Amino acid sequence: MTGSGVDGATGRVMKFIHEGESELPVRDVKANHKKNPANEPYIEYGLERELNEGKIIGAENYWAKCYQDAVKKVVESDEEYLFLASYPNHAGGNASENLIIGYIRHDNHEWRAEDRVSVIGEMKVYPFEHGIPLSEFGYNPTKRSLGPYGRNLNVAETREVLDHFSQFTDVTKECLKRTLELESKSESSDNDGC
């Protein structure tokens, strides 16, 4: 996907596990809520490759085969956005279902293995308080996985999500900083957790 505009854009939503120690929507780096540390979404992708010039470049499915069917659908269907959803695990979080809290624009993709593709592009993450419940798009409210293919958003729904987030300041830089802090405190550097 190159030069994607918003007109006619579609997207797919997939879930990641929130780390639970902060109010920022950051993946579970320290394995607070799962067996292994999470490496996806890979918000450090651009930083580690010196690509972050005025924007954060992120990736999904880069280190691990997480929701491969959903990511592959984004690539094969030439969808412009991989929307990120999570359930806030932090104390005081009052959501009753997964919330869309950001996206990776499908600017590029990379086959990491014969059976694994990664979506790469500009990443934007927003506070949980500005997240959008998936039930607003007719899906049953859930805190669980969104299934192997995630949830598809049509052109109108994709536009609605992007318009909603355009009203708010993203916290992507803060999430990157928090992720790096958690990684420095984590004893594990295992790169195979979703």
Side-chain angles (χ1 to χ4, degrees), residues 112-130:
R112 298 286 296 156
E114 202 172 289
D115 63 344
R116 187 174 92 235
V117 66
S118 175
V119 169
I120 302 166
E122 181 176 10
M123 186 173 185
K124 296 269 187 175
V125 183
Y126 297 86
F128 280 115
E129 65 196 51
H130 300 309

Side-chain angles (χ1 to χ4, degrees), residues 8-184:
T10 59
R12 187 164 302 273
V13 184
M14 61 176 285
K15 178 187 176 173
F16 69 93
I17 307 291
H18 177 240
E19 56 101 0
E21 292 181 11
S22 78
E23 294 183 15
L24 290 169
V26 173
R27 71 176 190 256
D28 192 9
V29 174
K30 292 171 48 180
N32 292 326
H33 300 283
K34 51 187 288 193
K35 183 179 176 183
N36 296 315
N39 293 295
E40 310 282 352
Y42 183 32
I43 194 170
E44 312 92 319
Y45 179 89
L47 177 70
E48 292 174 358
R49 289 158 185 77
E50 299 180 357
L51 300 173
N52 290 351
E53 294 183 23
K55 57 186 172 184
I56 305 287
I57 305 297
E60 175 59 46
N61 226 40
Y62 191 83
W63 290 114
K65 196 174 184 177
C66 306
Y67 301 109
Q68 171 60 33
D69 292 331
V71 175
K72 195 172 179 183
K73 266 296 203 206
V74 170
V75 172
E76 290 176 346
S77 301
D78 212 20
E79 295 171 334
E80 288 86 348
Y81 293 92
L82 178 60
F83 291 104
L84 305 171
S86 192
Y87 175 76
N89 285 317
H90 64 278
N94 60 5
S96 59
E97 64 178 295
N98 286 309
L99 305 170
I100 300 172
I101 51 79
Y103 58 85
I104 298 173
R105 192 176 63 211
H106 177 198
D107 295 328
N108 202 350
H109 59 271
E110 178 182 330
W111 284 94
R112 298 286 296 156
E114 202 172 289
D115 63 344
R116 187 174 92 235
V117 66
S118 175
V119 169
I120 302 166
E122 181 176 10
M123 186 173 185
K124 296 269 187 175
V125 183
Y126 297 86
F128 280 115
E129 65 196 51
H130 300 309
I132 304 169
L134 265 82
S135 59
E136 288 191 16
F137 300 107
Y139 293 108
N140 290 332
T142 184
K143 299 176 186 177
R144 298 179 187 264
S145 166
L146 302 178
Y149 294 97
R151 298 289 188 264
N152 185 48
L153 296 184
N154 64 31
V155 172
E157 293 166 335
T158 298
R159 163 56 71 191
E160 184 178 334
V161 171
L162 296 173
D163 285 349
H164 171 81
F165 286 136
S166 72
Q167 304 171 63
F168 306 107
T169 302
D170 69 283
V171 292
T172 315
K173 288 180 183 176
E174 292 86 345
C175 289
L176 175 57
K177 180 180 176 186
R178 175 71 178 156
T179 299
L180 296 172
E181 289 171 358
L182 289 169
E183 285 178 340
S184 71

